[in-house]
Amino acid sequence: MDTNTKPLAERMRPQTLEGYFGQQQLVGPGASLRMMIEQGRLPSIIFWGPPGVGKTTLSEIIARSLGTEFYTLSAINSGVKDVRKVIDKIQSGQSGIFRSEHRPILFIDEIHRFSKSQQDSLLGAVERGTFTLIGATTENPSFEVIRPLLSRCQVYTLEPLPDEEIVRLLRYALDTDSILSQRSISLGETEALVQLAGGDARRALNILELVCNSTTQSPLVLSNELVRSRVQANPIAFDKGGELHYDIASALIKSIRGSDPDAALYWLARLIEGGEDPSFIARRLVISAAEDIGLANPNALLMANACAQTLERIGWPEGRIPLAEATIYLACSEKSNSAYLAIDRALELVRSTGNQPVPLHLRNAPTKLMSELGYGEGYRYAHNYEGHFVVQQYMPDSLQGKRLWEPQTENASEAIMADRQGRRWGR
């Protein structure tokens, strides 16, 4: 492809660490990752961060710095067969000698989309040192990457670019890009560019290109008004390529929380039309069902999970229908965040009170010594009592009587649970 036909973000992709914007906590002078690269001692890595912060670019720079082979797979369209094919290709090309002294790098974009079996297929080669794995993910790797693979990787968190770095990048693009530098373009105001970019370098460059291409005016001074008018006229153009639309996703969840199904459907449609990954939307609906609806309607979580599973089975574009169904159901459900608040109270209590001992009667006694020490003594088995309930101590001694769950009795479901608990415990 002719360089001049590439998008600006691709034309501005840096080739070295010196030209890399952001992530100075990792690749700045004396930073840990930079030192590993310079010393040639690179572990397998997971780069975790939002879109447009340089995960792919940094991986390519690392391979170039080490002078080693760079293989890529996209989790969107690669299966176990593709993984094994690449591994075989790497192994067959080794014959004991690399083209460089370093292992080849296998880069897997959006590794969180790999299934357990796909991730399992990587384990053996990673353990043998067949290649250095670099995975990129926008999702928390603790939840999305299997534990055996995660334990063999160093996780680095990439942060959204600071405002000043976005501005520096845009000025650099105007000064050095093969096309834009031929025009007389300057940044008069930067607030709108920075706000719309949201720390995403690729998005910032897409917006800059969109605005500059929208006019032949010369000289051109970019203003907040011009930027906002051009982006408003074409709201999807600057966010092409399937990047996550965090602001719109936030509007979707807040519309569900606010019980407005029409607004929720509108924001759902904006995500779909903007090229959002449907599985990302489904995960957000599952979170909303647990966080915002919770005990007021436990069926909401079942509905959201069923939506996510159905989406995997039927694919796209039919998947838009269960997404719409779940969105409407969640928006119309009664709301409660009592479980969300309760677990946060519990976590804060644990952090503030430390490791409180488990009461002896709640402890297991698998050995004779433990029985002699009183483990399990006095425990009353609830099912042996009327109503499958008996009053006894469950909290640590110092926390007896502490209440963490505060039922929100304005909804019928929790009112019933609260009434039952009140009668049981005499509250």
Side-chain angles (χ1 to χ4, degrees):
M1 180 185 289
D2 186 343
T3 301
N4 288 342
T5 65
K6 293 180 179 179
L8 175 62
E10 188 62 31
R11 299 198 301 270
M12 293 304 300
R13 190 181 291 273
Q15 303 296 305
T16 65
L17 286 177
E18 285 65 33
Y20 184 77
F21 285 78
Q23 316 312 325
Q24 291 304 294
Q25 76 281 8
L26 299 180
V27 297
S32 58
L33 182 56
R34 188 185 189 106
M35 293 179 67
M36 287 182 183
I37 297 170
E38 292 173 347
Q39 295 168 5
R41 298 176 180 176
L42 195 72
S44 287
I45 290 171
I46 301 290
F47 285 138
W48 173 29
V53 295
K55 298 185 292 294
T56 303
T57 299
L58 182 53
S59 302
E60 293 173 346
I61 289 174
I62 289 172
R64 197 173 295 113
S65 299
L66 298 178
T68 191
E69 299 99 328
F70 187 72
Y71 299 84
T72 65
L73 284 174
S74 172
I76 297 176
N77 50 27
S78 300
V80 172
K81 183 179 179 181
D82 300 295
V83 174
R84 289 174 177 159
K85 185 176 180 180
V86 170
I87 293 174
D88 290 341
K89 183 178 180 181
I90 294 173
Q91 289 175 327
S92 64
Q94 287 177 12
S95 53
I97 302 174
F98 299 113
R99 287 189 298 174
S100 93
E101 60 183 302
H102 305 291
R103 292 194 299 265
I105 289 174
L106 174 58
F107 174 74
I108 300 180
D109 193 20
E110 301 189 83
I111 194 171
H112 61 274
R113 296 195 190 185
F114 263 2
S115 65
K116 181 179 182 299
S117 60
Q118 288 171 311
Q119 294 184 39
D120 281 335
S121 67
L122 296 167
L123 272 176
V126 172
E127 288 177 336
R128 292 190 300 271
T130 304
F131 53 77
T132 297
L133 172 67
I134 300 183
T137 176
T138 56
E139 303 292 328
N140 189 329
S142 299
F143 302 137
E144 305 296 339
V145 179
I146 60 173
R147 187 176 296 275
L149 185 59
L150 189 62
S151 67
R152 291 164 175 79
C153 298
Q154 179 70 45
V155 177
Y156 289 105
T157 303
L158 278 66
E159 304 289 346
L161 271 65
D163 294 352
E164 61 272 15
E165 246 342 54
I166 291 290
V167 173
R168 192 167 73 88
L169 170 63
L170 296 177
R171 294 190 191 282
Y172 181 73
L174 292 175
D175 289 341
T176 64
D177 176 61
S178 58
I179 297 176
L180 296 184
S181 64
Q182 302 304 309
R183 299 173 59 185
S184 179
I185 305 174
S186 60
L187 296 181
E189 297 173 312
T190 60
E191 291 82 5
L193 283 165
V194 167
Q195 181 183 27
L196 290 166
D200 183 327
R202 183 167 54 240
R203 183 181 294 179
L205 292 169
N206 284 341
I207 297 172
L208 179 65
E209 185 175 36
L210 171 69
V211 175
C212 292
N213 289 346
S214 70
T215 177
T216 58
Q217 180 182 336
S218 182
L220 174 63
V221 179
L222 299 184
S223 66
N224 293 332
E225 181 181 0
L226 176 63
V227 170
R228 290 195 175 100
S229 66
R230 294 300 188 268
V231 171
Q232 186 175 15
N234 195 352
I236 295 170
F238 74 87
D239 205 13
K240 55 198 171 188
E243 291 133 29
L244 304 180
H245 311 154
Y246 289 109
D247 289 343
I248 299 178
S250 174
L252 167 64
I253 297 306
K254 287 173 181 173
S255 298
I256 290 173
R257 185 180 298 146
S259 300
D260 188 335
D262 299 303
L265 282 170
Y266 169 78
W267 295 117
L268 173 64
R270 283 284 300 275
L271 287 173
I272 292 172
E273 193 65 17
E276 188 57 82
D277 175 10
S279 65
F280 168 87
I281 303 173
R283 285 194 296 273
R284 271 33 188 195
L285 294 181
V286 172
I287 294 169
S288 176
E291 178 179 342
D292 296 315
I293 298 165
L295 296 172
N297 180 8
N299 286 331
L301 190 56
L302 299 177
M303 169 70 85
N305 271 302
C307 168
Q309 293 167 5
T310 302
L311 189 62
E312 288 185 3
R313 287 191 74 173
I314 68 175
W316 202 253
E318 291 80 2
R320 73 190 189 283
I321 303 169
L323 283 175
E325 181 182 352
T327 296
I328 295 169
Y329 185 84
L330 298 183
C332 294
S333 288
E334 288 193 85
K335 305 298 189 295
S336 170
N337 65 344
S338 68
Y340 169 74
L341 296 175
I343 187 58
D344 282 354
R345 290 189 198 102
L347 289 169
E348 180 57 34
L349 181 64
V350 168
R351 293 174 188 133
S352 63
T353 59
N355 296 324
Q356 297 295 310
V358 177
L360 281 175
H361 67 282
L362 297 183
R363 302 185 192 184
N364 287 326
T367 68
K368 181 180 179 181
L369 176 60
M370 289 179 173
S371 295
E372 292 173 349
L373 292 174
Y375 282 36
E377 184 176 339
Y379 171 69
R380 287 179 280 182
Y381 187 59
H383 295 298
N384 290 339
Y385 295 84
E386 183 179 354
H388 304 271
F389 174 78
V390 61
V391 174
Q392 65 181 326
Q393 176 188 342
Y394 291 101
M395 276 286 203
D397 292 345
S398 63
L399 300 177
Q400 286 193 69
K402 185 70 175 178
R403 299 284 297 278
L404 295 172
W405 175 52
E406 296 181 1
Q408 297 173 1
T409 55
E410 59 271 23
N411 66 78
S413 178
E414 281 188 81
I416 292 171
M417 286 188 283
D419 179 66
R420 181 168 58 242
Q421 290 300 100
R423 285 185 281 105
R424 283 174 169 174
W425 291 97
R427 295 170 180 166

